[in-house]
Amino acid sequence: MELRVIKAEEITSAVSRLFKECNYFIGDDITKALECAYQNEQSPVGKQVISQLLENNRIAAEEQIPICQDTGMAVLFVKYGDKVIVEDGSFRNAVESGVRQAYKDGYLRKSVVNDPVFDRINTKDNTPAIIHTEIVPGSKISITAGGKGFGSENMSAIKMLTPSYGKQGVMDFVLETVRKAGPNPCPPMIVGVGIGGTFEKAAVLAKKATFRPVDTDNPDPRYAEMEKQLLEQINRMGFGPAGLGGNTTALGVNIETYPTHIAGMPVAVNICCHAARHKTVII
């Protein structure tokens, strides 16, 4: 296969469009999940909250304004074809330019600070982005982008379990994390679970899980059953929409896994609010 040249400006344009669209237009999977939750919600207040969320998302799409004021930190999952060459700039710089352009021209809130502990000065353009890159065979670049708000991000957790904990240990940790989070992540939430790999790999898997549509199941039936069981137990906690009570605390639980060491079983839980924003483009 011959090498393919992609102009940096094409990547910048695609990334800019992705971040505007994901902040204005919620995915069909979330809309359908909210509509289904509205039908099944037993609490009148919870039902009203879900109705308002659906109305909010409709107005955001019509007016092309952000679904939520927290337009998040820019996170991208990239599958980069090994036959691609970026011309007139680097891939990273092209992505950063796209993020910068989207948050400026799209009137999206800029929430990134330059130093985590000391200076904490706003970078004023929502960069740098978080970019997870996987080199794959081919001559295309697939980019999945999302804005991760921190009301839910702050409720996430990781634990280095050992194999003796087994399936129940994993489920207990997930449920414990959601229970501690309570109403803080703006429920109904999406719960991303990463199991396996190493300390940092489990966290990336959990984040990736929140990007997966909520109307899909893990391809392994054993993990698909875990997803179902966890969702049922989470929705029995009673936090409900906006934490005001009800049987819709989560819209979905997504599990992603990776092989791990014989001595370990890392588990990460990444919580995402109902504004689960993500869009994909293939260049």
Side-chain angles (χ1 to χ4, degrees):
M1 185 183 293
E2 294 184 1
L3 295 177
R4 179 183 172 215
V5 175
I6 298 177
K7 297 279 189 181
E9 62 186 25
E10 186 177 350
I11 296 168
T12 295
S13 177
V15 169
S16 176
R17 186 173 66 254
L18 278 178
F19 277 102
K20 288 177 190 174
E21 290 182 354
C22 78
N23 274 289
Y24 301 158
F25 309 109
I26 199 71
D28 289 341
D29 62 318
I30 300 297
T31 299
K32 290 174 183 176
L34 285 170
E35 289 172 345
C36 182
Y38 179 81
Q39 297 300 323
N40 296 327
E41 179 55 59
Q42 297 171 6
S43 162
V45 174
K47 220 173 180 68
Q48 185 179 9
V49 170
I50 296 171
S51 175
Q52 290 173 344
L53 292 178
L54 287 164
E55 177 70 1
N56 174 81
N57 294 348
R58 183 189 64 78
I59 293 171
E62 286 182 358
E63 302 290 335
Q64 294 194 21
I65 54 177
I67 295 163
C68 175
Q69 75 275 13
D70 183 356
T71 52
M73 193 165 188
V75 178
L76 303 96
F77 284 92
V78 178
K79 291 185 178 180
Y80 193 105
D82 59 4
K83 296 297 186 290
V84 172
I85 296 175
V86 176
E87 190 173 70
D88 298 332
S90 71
F91 177 76
R92 170 120 210 163
N93 287 343
V95 168
E96 299 284 18
S97 293
V99 172
R100 195 175 294 117
Q101 192 179 98
Y103 278 77
K104 178 184 176 182
D105 298 344
Y107 300 98
L108 308 178
R109 196 181 82 184
K110 304 161 188 72
S111 304
V112 176
V113 294
N114 68 333
D115 179 87
V117 178
F118 298 106
D119 299 334
R120 294 193 67 86
I121 297 170
N122 198 300
T123 62
K124 299 182 180 179
D125 59 11
N126 224 58
T127 65
I130 306 296
I131 308 174
H132 303 288
T133 307
E134 178 185 358
I135 305 298
V136 298
S139 58
K140 298 178 181 178
I141 301 176
S142 172
I143 303 173
T144 299
K148 188 64 172 72
F150 264 59
S152 57
E153 188 77 355
N154 286 340
M155 298 297 104
S156 304
I158 188 167
K159 191 169 185 178
M160 300 303 290
L161 299 180
T162 53
S164 61
Y165 279 86
K167 173 189 172 183
Q168 192 58 51
V170 172
M171 292 186 62
D172 288 346
F173 175 60
V174 175
L175 294 170
E176 174 193 356
T177 302
V178 174
R179 193 173 287 111
K180 284 182 178 178
N184 294 319
C186 300
M189 65 187 83
I190 291 84
V191 181
V193 181
I195 310 172
T198 53
F199 178 85
E200 78 284 0
K201 181 65 175 179
V204 174
L205 287 170
K207 171 71 83 256
K208 188 177 181 181
T210 67
F211 277 54
R212 203 183 89 204
V214 293
D215 55 1
T216 60
D217 299 322
N218 188 292
D220 186 323
R222 297 169 299 176
Y223 290 108
E225 181 61 23
M226 280 181 69
E227 292 173 338
K228 181 181 177 182
Q229 291 173 0
L230 284 166
L231 181 60
E232 290 174 352
Q233 292 184 50
I234 288 169
N235 283 333
R236 285 202 294 267
M237 290 180 183
F239 294 116
L244 298 175
N247 56 292
T248 313
T249 296
L251 296 176
V253 176
N254 292 344
I255 297 175
E256 295 291 323
T257 66
Y258 197 83
T260 192
H261 191 277
I262 56 172
M265 194 170 65
V267 182
V269 181
N270 191 222
I271 297 177
C272 183
C273 68
H274 57 83
R277 297 155 289 193
H278 43 79
K279 294 282 182 182
T280 301
V281 69
I282 297 176
I283 303 173

